Amino acid sequence: PGRLPLGEEGPVEGGPPDHSYSLSSGTTSEELLRKLNEQRDIIALLEVKMKEMKGSIRRLRLAEAQLREEIREKDRLLHAASAGARKRHGL
């Protein structure tokens, strides 16, 4: 009960497409070309965004390296200062 007889489960010839992204047989070459060009535009935009993001990543890595170097330098100065203070106080 509730099951379709064999042969009626698949899409019917000439019936609606299986998926929303399926193309009906009536899709013209002009429509396909327009869709293809839209996709190419989207890909071109994404490639530009990707290049921008790679540039941002490079700048951030550089900034990170500079900040780490500043921290190392400040640590060295702090250790030198605290070592000098211990000597002066006889600790």
Side-chain angles (χ1 to χ4, degrees), residues 29-89:
S29 55
E30 285 84 10
E31 288 173 310
L32 286 173
L33 198 60
R34 186 177 49 79
K35 286 181 184 201
L36 179 65
N37 286 329
E38 283 173 8
Q39 295 302 314
R40 284 186 176 148
D41 289 345
I42 291 168
I43 288 169
L45 276 171
L46 289 173
E47 283 173 346
V48 167
K49 285 227 178 284
M50 200 167 70
K51 279 183 185 150
E52 288 172 1
M53 287 178 169
K54 282 179 177 175
S56 295
I57 290 168
R58 249 193 314 278
R59 286 190 300 276
L60 288 168
R61 283 188 174 146
L62 221 98
E64 181 193 20
Q66 289 169 338
L67 289 168
R68 286 182 186 278
E69 188 48 47
E70 280 179 36
I71 289 169
R72 277 193 291 272
E73 188 57 37
K74 286 182 177 162
D75 273 351
R76 279 194 290 272
L77 292 171
L78 278 171
H79 287 300
S82 65
R86 280 199 297 275
K87 282 180 188 165
R88 280 197 301 277
H89 296 295

